Amino acid sequence: MQGRSRRAAGDPVFDRYRKVFSEGSTLYPRIAVYTGSGASHSWIWFADIFDRLGLFDVRFIDESSVRDTGLSGFDAFFIGGGDTYEMAFSLGEDGARAIEGFVRDGGFYFGSCAGAYLVLSGVDLEPFTHFNLIDGAMLNSMAAPPEPRCLEHKYKSAYGDGWVFHPVYGEVTVTGQHRAIGQCVNAPLFGGPVIGRAMPEDVLAEYSRLTERAAYLWPRREAEEFMIGRAAVLRSELDGGTVVVSGPHLEHPLYTAANALAAEVLTEHFKGRSGRVSRPSRSAASNSDTAPLLLEIKRQVSNARIVGFGLEKMPVAWRLGHKVWEPEKIRMFLECAWERLPFMEEHAELMGPSGGGLEPLARGYADVTRISKSLKMRIESGRDSQAEASMLLLSLKELTARFLSIYFRLRLETGFGRD
Amino acid sequence: MDVMYYGDTLIVDLPTGKTEQVEFSPEMLTENGPGLAAGIALYRDHEDGDPLVFGSGLLTGTTAPASSLGFVLGKSPLSGELAVSPLSLFSGAEMKLSGFSMVVIKGDSPKPVYLWLHDGVADVLDAAELWGLDTWGTTDAVRSEMGEQLVQVVSIGPAGESPSKLSAYSINYWGSGDTAALGARMGGKKLKAVALRGLGMLDAEEPQDFYEGAKGLLSEAPAWKGFNKACEGIDAGDIDGWLKPLVHRYRSCFACPAACNTFVKYNEGPSVMESTGVEEPGMLVTGAASAAWLLSGGWKAEPACRAMESMARAGIDLIRGARELAGSPLDDASETEEAVGGLSGGEEAGWPGGDSSPKGLFGPWVPPLADEDEWLLANRIGYVIGICPTYLLASGMETSGLFGLCSSAAGVELDPSMVAGMFS
Ligand code: SF4
């Protein structure tokens, strides 16, 4: 996984977009990524794609930021996978209004999976009714879906009086007319919507094939009949803004062609726009505390990922809200920090007094190590691990957001963004 | 040049408990050679600190057949000369993946410590609570502390702590091929254990060539179970037949097509597969020589295995211990622990049926399956490129294919005479 991801990151397809964003004719956007209630782990893939595109003006925000600031100061807002109900409930009507205002003001909204369900218009159910940015309805819901053939825990979640269900879990192919798609693009579908009742001009791509690298929760032929030809990716203009929703995760780090499609719609939105060019001033004096703090973070992230690797061998999963979390998610958060630590070590001297917030991170990762070990012991001794796992996953999510905020700030400071 | 190592050389100064990381440069390899050759150069550079050097071979931890071998290098308390002992099972691979290319441990610590090497981070940790534990207790305690059973723990038991010249370090629970009493050097340094784990990856310089080459070698690599194949032609007896009534399973070292290591059960039926709650059902016999000594002395398999367990727990060299025990076989399993406690360390390491193992840098862990020159070359090649010498000799595998892998892995061109030259 690490090697494939690293190779994908070096794909020359990203050179073009880096160039576009580093030239003056396309706005270098300030980006917000939603990491609040309901967000699962998949938002960390946005961090990967932004790294690849050279977009470093990135913040990671939760529902209260969305509600309180109305996304002001941001040019793009990304929401990934997770528990749509929890997202909608936490963002509430104020959050929905903030997002809509942001888009009508010229903002770019990108929602994949849960972030796509969230803003589809055809939902008449609280707490979703305030979120409708784009015409389209999820077709993968019914009162009594048939029993799945496998992956029961991934198959369905409650939705009103019925269920949202997922006939396929894994890689799918989408096809469309957009030049970035070419023949077709593969991307993983991890519970995202199959979309109907969309405006034909909004359909950027349809499901065209289900691949061997997918698990079939329905018999394959029935899944194909249900999905093929149905909309997978939509794009629509709303006043001055753009809304893009995708069932599959176009941002997944192993799918460079899908990443390129996401990059293409992003550049199309920002092309010709001008605006603020954000470049924080360099931090003041270097600080001798920084290197030991980074080493402590490295130590604890390493310790925790070693325990996390061990947890992956255990037959256990946890439910947070409507979402099932497997132990692999623990290491995904940790790898996200681990892969970026060398860059931070290299530029430690720029991190300013107290390492610009590294100390709480070091403490946080030490707690993560401690909780991971205790969680493992709890599972080994056959005790219930739900509460401890929830605590661990939530604190990992929060820590990773803080870590990435520091990382991207440093990236921006080191001059890799637009001058 | 990707040299099939990642991470720096780690220098551990035990008197101060401080660590320093220095670059492990490609020049290190071109000037000295990889694996043990680089380790010897580092040993010489730090000789004034009477160091122990932990390292691995060029191909250790890869998909090359039997790429399991790492090493510990230091001055043997037995001979006063430089000696090397193996890091086998999964410890060599974890050494490679620990994030340190080589580790030089200098001087003596004022208090018991252990080293935790993980992903390029080196922690010198207090071992007060481990001191006094046997190797099984130490392995359990370290793994529990780190929260992971795959951590490889190279530790000493009470024998190493004393430090007795009969001691050897143990790899996890199962003893080791340390016949140079490097375990006693660990004890003298108050170094209770070195724990290893890394989740990094090795990058081959020519990945496709390496993949194809390794796949080709593996497809033709001889495989076997048990010890007899690795003792063919030497007077070691039918070890596999002797152990058979107790055998539960066979286990390979990292990436080895063979599976010499034999798990025997004597505290519950050997055919029992599910966990029955018996805490310690038996042990993994990892050394053919110790088994061969006890077999040749007329021991029955069960008390012999119990004696090997006692030696492994205490951190005693299983080969020398078994040789000393061989002459007085015990039927009563309950007496074995006492017999192990009474070992004097008066015997030299070697193989039954004539001690044909050469003295010098390499101990007799590798069976004398060839004449002295060939045996020596297999050891040298094995420790330089990280391939188990026992596998090289017993399988008859051509080394040219393995040298080809060194080239595609790291751009390092080697042949037998170049390897021999590294030791001249
Ligand atoms: S031949 Fe035996 S000792 Fe050597 S690596 Fe293979 S299993 Fe281990």
Side-chain angles (χ1 to χ4, degrees):
Chain A
M1 171 71 182
Q2 291 167 309
R4 285 173 66 202
S5 178
R6 213 185 313 151
R7 270 195 297 284
D11 193 307
V13 72
F14 299 113
D15 295 345
R16 188 170 95 74
Y17 300 105
R18 273 198 295 274
K19 191 154 171 276
V20 166
F21 282 118
S22 66
E23 288 168 356
S25 58
T26 301
L27 177 74
Y28 189 81
R30 173 172 285 179
I31 296 168
V33 176
Y34 182 73
T35 65
S37 298
S40 66
H41 68 294
S42 64
W43 58 266
I44 61 180
W45 298 334
F46 289 130
D48 292 330
I49 196 171
F50 297 145
D51 256 336
R52 293 169 183 194
L53 298 175
L55 297 176
F56 303 132
D57 199 355
V58 186
R59 312 291 148 91
F60 298 86
I61 64 171
D62 63 10
E63 62 271 22
S64 57
S65 291
V66 176
R67 283 195 309 257
D68 298 348
T69 67
L71 294 166
S72 87
F74 291 108
D75 305 304
F77 184 42
F78 287 72
I79 302 188
D83 179 344
T84 320
Y85 180 88
E86 182 65 29
M87 283 178 186
F89 182 78
S90 309
L91 285 161
E93 194 176 340
D94 289 349
R97 234 184 276 126
I99 297 170
E100 185 175 338
F102 161 78
V103 176
R104 288 190 188 278
D105 248 12
F108 177 88
Y109 176 92
F110 186 100
S112 71
C113 204
Y117 284 114
L118 183 70
V119 298
L120 290 177
S121 61
V123 182
D124 185 18
L125 183 72
E126 287 302 335
F128 303 107
T129 43
H130 308 291
F131 297 83
N132 43 44
L133 294 183
I134 191 163
D135 287 335
M138 56 177 167
L139 299 178
N140 51 318
S141 72
M142 63 170 78
E147 286 304 303
R149 299 163 73 221
C150 60
L151 292 183
E152 199 167 337
H153 63 294
K154 295 282 185 194
Y155 181 52
K156 62 180 183 183
S157 43
Y159 174 67
D161 292 335
W163 302 90
V164 176
F165 63 92
H166 313 295
V168 165
Y169 194 86
E171 186 184 88
V172 298
T173 304
V174 300
T175 309
Q177 297 307 314
H178 195 284
R179 69 191 166 94
I181 300 179
Q183 287 295 310
C184 53
V185 161
N186 287 350
L189 181 70
F190 296 146
V194 179
I195 306 170
R197 298 209 300 272
M199 305 297 283
E201 65 273 23
D202 289 351
V203 178
L204 211 57
E206 295 171 350
Y207 294 102
S208 59
R209 198 170 72 89
L210 309 180
T211 79
E212 304 303 322
R213 297 166 78 168
Y216 289 86
L217 289 77
W218 280 14
R220 183 165 181 165
R221 205 174 47 79
E222 287 170 36
E224 284 168 345
E225 275 170 14
F226 176 70
M227 292 180 66
I228 288 178
R230 298 258 162 82
V233 187
L234 305 181
R235 176 177 58 181
S236 169
E237 308 294 322
L238 187 62
D239 292 343
T242 302
V243 178
V244 179
V245 294
S246 176
H249 285 278
L250 301 180
E251 71 280 15
H252 192 286
L254 294 183
Y255 290 86
T256 51
N259 293 175
L261 174 58
E264 193 67 34
V265 291
L266 191 64
T267 50
E268 281 171 359
H269 175 81
F270 287 110
K271 195 168 175 54
R273 292 185 191 231
S274 60
R276 171 196 42 76
V277 174
S278 143
R279 186 89 190 271
S281 56
R282 250 158 217 264
S283 302
S286 65
N287 189 298
S288 57
D289 292 348
T290 307
L293 283 170
L294 279 171
L295 176 61
E296 183 56 21
I297 292 173
K298 187 174 176 187
R299 168 177 294 117
Q300 297 303 345
V301 174
S302 162
N303 282 331
R305 68 205 272 267
I306 285 168
V307 184
F309 185 89
L311 277 164
E312 287 166 28
K313 298 186 293 264
M314 299 181 145
V316 66
W318 307 283
R319 190 171 278 278
L320 273 68
H322 288 83
K323 207 74 189 158
V324 174
W325 291 66
E326 299 85 357
E328 295 87 83
K329 306 285 162 51
I330 295 170
R331 208 148 60 90
M332 286 185 187
F333 281 119
L334 292 164
E335 293 296 339
C336 177
W338 182 257
E339 285 164 12
R340 289 169 173 87
L341 273 167
F343 178 84
M344 292 170 77
E345 286 173 318
E346 207 179 309
H347 299 282
E349 79 285 356
L350 292 175
M351 299 190 73
S354 307
L358 291 181
E359 207 169 321
L361 273 189
R363 278 199 305 274
Y365 280 116
D367 281 345
V368 160
T369 300
R370 185 180 49 74
I371 302 169
S372 305
K373 288 177 183 174
S374 143
L375 174 67
K376 193 157 177 243
M377 278 167 65
R378 193 167 265 279
I379 299 167
E380 279 164 354
S381 60
R383 286 177 291 159
D384 180 57
S385 56
Q386 174 68 40
E388 208 150 14
S390 304
M391 184 164 64
L392 176 64
L393 289 162
L394 292 176
S395 74
L396 266 171
K397 191 166 79 166
E398 197 235 330
L399 268 177
T400 308
R402 272 157 53 197
F403 179 95
L404 286 173
S405 294
I406 294 173
Y407 164 81
F408 277 109
R409 197 172 65 216
L410 188 61
R411 270 282 184 192
L412 203 56
E413 281 188 25
T414 52
F416 285 86
R418 177 174 158 186
D419 285 315
Chain B
M1 179 173 73
D2 191 324
V3 293
M4 242 21 208
Y5 291 93
Y6 67 91
D8 297 328
T9 294
L10 178 73
I11 314 292
V12 183
D13 186 62
L14 286 176
T16 60
K18 295 215 162 95
T19 62
E20 185 196 355
Q21 300 190 21
V22 293
E23 193 193 347
F24 184 77
S25 62
E27 292 74 52
M28 179 76 183
L29 299 195
T30 42
E31 279 167 27
N32 304 291
L36 182 59
I40 291 173
L42 279 167
Y43 178 90
R44 299 279 179 230
D45 288 349
H46 297 275
E47 200 160 4
D48 55 345
D50 192 10
L52 283 173
V53 179
F54 281 60
S56 60
L58 188 80
L59 298 176
T60 308
T62 68
T63 48
S67 59
S68 58
L69 192 63
F71 60 84
V72 183
L73 178 71
K75 194 198 285 180
S76 166
L78 302 177
S79 65
E81 301 291 329
L82 193 58
V84 64
S85 292
L87 289 177
S88 59
L89 296 171
F90 281 67
S91 62
E94 287 296 346
M95 174 63 234
K96 184 60 151 301
L97 298 171
S98 70
F100 296 105
S101 299
M102 301 273 160
V103 180
V104 181
I105 305 169
K106 295 165 60 170
D108 299 346
S109 169
K111 58 173 190 166
V113 291
Y114 72 107
L115 261 184
W116 167 223
L117 307 179
H118 54 115
D119 293 321
V121 180
D123 296 327
V124 182
L125 299 173
D126 184 67
E129 305 228 321
L130 301 180
W131 204 253
L133 295 182
D134 67 18
T135 62
W136 288 35
T138 305
T139 302
D140 284 341
V142 171
R143 287 179 168 180
S144 157
E145 176 60 28
M146 299 315 160
E148 171 59 344
Q149 294 302 306
L150 294 178
V151 172
Q152 296 296 298
V153 184
V154 181
S155 76
I156 55 169
E161 289 177 13
S162 53
S164 154
K165 287 188 178 178
L166 187 57
S167 72
Y169 61 75
S170 178
I171 296 166
N172 306 324
Y173 311 97
W174 315 126
S176 74
D178 172 21
T179 55
L182 296 183
R185 276 309 297 126
M186 285 177 69
K189 287 176 175 293
K190 291 257 187 319
L191 177 63
K192 178 68 177 173
V194 177
L196 303 156
R197 180 81 175 127
L199 300 181
M201 287 198 322
L202 297 166
D203 278 327
E205 197 161 279
E206 301 290 345
Q208 194 60 31
D209 288 355
F210 183 84
Y211 169 75
E212 298 293 346
K215 202 169 107 180
L217 287 181
L218 278 168
S219 68
E220 288 165 13
W224 63 84
K225 285 180 190 162
F227 294 112
N228 283 4
K229 168 76 179 164
C231 297
E232 248 168 32
I234 59 177
D235 198 6
D238 177 13
I239 301 173
D240 295 341
W242 178 62
L243 290 176
K244 196 169 176 199
L246 302 177
V247 171
H248 178 258
R249 63 185 185 272
Y250 297 96
R251 225 187 120 193
S252 302
C253 299
F254 178 86
C256 186
C260 303
N261 308 302
T262 306
F263 196 93
V264 290
K265 281 190 175 181
Y266 36 81
N267 291 325
E268 69 178 10
S271 58
V272 173
M273 285 298 160
E274 72 280 12
S275 173
T276 58
V278 173
E279 223 168 88
E280 309 294 358
M283 85 167 285
L284 187 72
V285 182
T286 58
S290 46
W293 277 115
L294 294 169
L295 170 60
S296 73
W299 282 66
K300 291 199 176 107
E302 186 190 326
C305 290
R306 288 185 188 277
M308 286 191 274
E309 178 192 319
S310 295
M311 289 189 281
R313 279 179 182 269
I316 287 172
D317 175 352
L318 270 86
I319 299 182
R320 286 183 293 140
R323 183 173 191 174
E324 190 177 333
L325 289 174
S328 35
L330 294 170
D331 276 347
D332 186 345
S334 64
E335 293 171 4
T336 54
E337 207 174 317
E338 202 184 325
V340 167
L343 286 170
S344 69
E347 296 288 353
E348 281 195 357
W351 286 79
D355 194 351
S356 55
S357 300
K359 306 281 180 280
L361 186 61
F362 306 103
W365 172 62
V366 175
L369 294 168
D371 66 36
E372 200 173 319
D373 287 344
E374 209 182 317
W375 180 91
L376 189 61
L377 185 62
N379 273 280
R380 286 171 168 174
I381 291 173
Y383 279 104
V384 164
I385 67 173
I387 305 294
C388 173
T390 301
Y391 188 78
L392 285 178
L393 289 169
S395 69
M397 174 172 266
E398 291 290 334
T399 51
S400 55
L402 293 165
F403 288 135
L405 289 185
C406 296
S407 173
S408 54
V412 172
E413 302 299 333
L414 291 174
D415 62 35
S417 63
M418 287 166 76
V419 171
M422 292 170 193
F423 294 85
S424 59

